[in-house]
């Protein structure tokens, strides 16, 4: 066998045992299923499914070899390994052929050192992972590339007829699904709660040619309908109940650690709605831990909007009695306006394993935190605002200590939410005191007037 140095670095050493992954019930039912089964729930108990990998096969490479391989590929040019997701392909979806990958160069997003904002809070090691700097402006691209690639492979290999890929969405999932399907030429159908997504989020799937169904309900109502739709022949479900999405999303944690030269942070704070993202975040850390790339785990904090806080309420009960769904009220953080989160059981497992906490933020708190961070150079969407408001609370309470390294996951690009920004600075957001509002100064085109406005 050749050693790693003799092989092109993007391939690495060829394993004796083939890399493999499969679907399994998270409740422990014994059958396993191929990744392209088009199954979303355990046929035996109805529990959620997860993707498992052959860790013995992955252990054929040492932790150092994996780190070197991932570093060699990172943001480089060999298709599709320059993508932050596909650079970790063996850990994500080894069965997908490179030719079937539908990638828009996801991942590889910058870590913003929030130096001035952090200092205001007494933190000098605060970082914001800018997952919204992505093709469709949210972290959803990380998971969607994997799901649509698997569908693309099913179609090309003739595994099963696919008439359309469908999802219910609070805006970002549908934008991402529509874009990846448009690239691959696969029909997409998206169900959105009418008048509950931003204008930009509504326009994205329309522009990409998806069939957009705006339903007179909320996200949970759309989800109930889409789950039935997924039982129709030829319809494939793209919501994060489908664990393929989580396989791409889990590269967030691998990438964060990689960006710190494989050092583990002390805290990761992440906004949570349907709770797929926090589950994936945890799975990424656990996989690195099991394969020896890291030797400890960070703590995780999930941030919820107070108007849509079923996980927070369950956390206060010590997770006793399981999830009690709520009717999610209006919030600026529309992408997490979810009262009955599908991935609740996954998220609880992760929170228990990572000594996790859950905290909530009001509309005023999320708006203020976003504005404060914007003054130090960010341009926060409301969901990142929720995460930052929770950060501020955890620091004030002493749960997060000065000197700790903290990563806040910014899930979307602020440019997708112009109404949020404009109305904050106009002072027209209900229930929000615009303490940091900055208004344009309207003047005649006269030098003296300009000079007076600047120098007083
Ligand atoms: C989807 C989304 C979330 C929440 O992720 P979940 O997996 O549903 O918990 C947070 N922020 C933004 C911007 C999103 O699009
Ligand atoms: Zn089961």
């Amino acid at each position: 066998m050749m050693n790693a140095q003799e092989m092109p670095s993007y391939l690495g050493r060829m394993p004796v045992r083939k890399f493999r992954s499969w679907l399994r019930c998270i409740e422990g039912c014994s059958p396993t299923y191929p990744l392209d089964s088009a199954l979303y729930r355990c046929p035996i108990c109805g529990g959620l499914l997860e993707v498992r990998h052959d860790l013995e096969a992955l252990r054929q490479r040492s932790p150092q070899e994996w780190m070197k391989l991932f570093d060699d590929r990172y943001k480089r040019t060999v298709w599709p390994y320059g993508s932050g997701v596909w650079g970790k392909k063996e850990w994500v979806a080894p069965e997908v052929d490179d030719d079937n990958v539908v990638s828009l160069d996801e991942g590889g997003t910058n870590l913003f050192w929030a130096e001035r904002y952090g200092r205001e809070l007494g933190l000098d090691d605060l970082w914001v992972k800018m997952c919204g700097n992505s093709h469709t402006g949210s972290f959803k691209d990380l998971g969607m590339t994997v799901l649509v690639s698997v569908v693309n492979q099913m179609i090309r290999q003739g595994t099963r007829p696919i008439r359309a890929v469908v999802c219910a969405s609070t805006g970002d999932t549908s934008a991402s699904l529509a874009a990846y399907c448009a690239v691959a030429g696969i029909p997409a159908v998206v169900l959105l709660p009418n008048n509950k997504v931003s204008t930009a989020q509504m326009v994205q799937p329309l522009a990409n040619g998806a069939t957009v169904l705006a339903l007179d309900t909320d996200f949970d109502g759309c989800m109930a309908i889409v789950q039935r739709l997924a039982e129709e022949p030829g319809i494939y479900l793209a919501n994060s109940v489908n664990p393929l999405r989580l396989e791409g999303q889990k590269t967030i944690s691998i990438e964060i650690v990689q960006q710190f030269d494989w050092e583990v942070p002390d805290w990761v704070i992440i906004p949570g709605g349907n709770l797929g993202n926090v589950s994936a975040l945890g799975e990424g850390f656990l996989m690195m831990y099991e394969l020896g790339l890291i030797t400890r785990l960070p703590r995780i904090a999930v941030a919820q909007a107070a108007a849509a806080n079923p996980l927070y309420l369950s956390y206060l009960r010590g997770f006793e009695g399981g999830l009690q769904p709520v009717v999610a009220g209006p919030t600026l953080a529309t992408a997490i306006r979810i009262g009955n989160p599908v991935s609740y059981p996954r998220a609880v497992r992760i929170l228990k394993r990572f000594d996790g906490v859950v905290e909530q933020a009001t509309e005023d708190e999320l708006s203020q935190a976003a504005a404060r961070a914007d003054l130090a150079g960010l341009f926060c969407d409301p969901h990142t605002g929720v995460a930052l408001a929770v950060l501020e609370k955890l620091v004030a309470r002493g749960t997060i200590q000065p000197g700790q390294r903290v990563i806040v996951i910014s899930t979307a690009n602020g440019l997708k939410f112009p109404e949020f920004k404009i109305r904050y600075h106009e002072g027209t957001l209900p229930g929000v005191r615009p303490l940091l509002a900055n208004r344009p100064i309207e003047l005649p085109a006269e030098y003296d007037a300009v000079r007076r406005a600047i120098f007083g």
Side-chain angles (χ1 to χ4, degrees), residues 66-192:
W66 282 119
M67 292 186 274
K68 177 163 188 338
L69 182 65
F70 293 163
D71 284 341
D72 286 349
R73 290 168 171 173
Y74 191 63
K75 298 204 203 188
R76 300 292 301 167
T77 53
V78 180
W79 173 267
Y81 300 94
S83 145
V85 171
W86 296 102
K88 281 98 184 165
K89 183 169 174 234
E90 297 84 349
W91 291 32
V92 170
E95 284 89 355
V96 175
D97 292 340
D98 291 358
D99 289 346
N100 292 334
V101 168
V102 184
S103 171
L104 301 173
D105 206 17
E106 336 41 46
T109 53
N110 53 314
L111 262 175
F112 177 100
W113 180 28
E115 185 182 9
R116 291 183 55 238
Y117 172 67
R119 213 172 277 152
E120 264 185 71
L121 308 183
L123 299 175
D124 58 13
D125 209 357
L126 174 64
W127 303 77
V128 182
K129 177 64 172 160
M130 304 297 287
C131 298
N133 292 348
S134 183
H135 187 77
T136 70
S138 86
F139 79 90
K140 298 290 198 295
D141 292 349
L142 296 170
M144 207 54 82
T145 183
V146 176
L147 183 137
V148 173
S149 297
V150 170
V151 172
N152 195 38
Q153 178 149 305
M154 286 181 205
I155 293 172
R156 294 215 190 154
Q157 295 183 343
T159 319
R160 66 187 65 250
I162 301 284
R163 284 158 65 196
V165 185
V166 302
C167 75
S169 174
T170 52
D172 291 327
T173 301
S174 50
S176 188
L177 178 67
Y180 281 85
C181 283
V183 168
I186 299 169
V189 177
V190 308
L191 278 65
L192 295 169

Side-chain angles (χ1 to χ4, degrees), residues 11-23:
L11 285 175
R13 180 156 53 78
M14 295 308 282
V16 177
R17 185 165 164 158
K18 215 164 154 278
F19 300 127
R20 285 183 335 111
S21 57
W22 56 85
L23 297 173

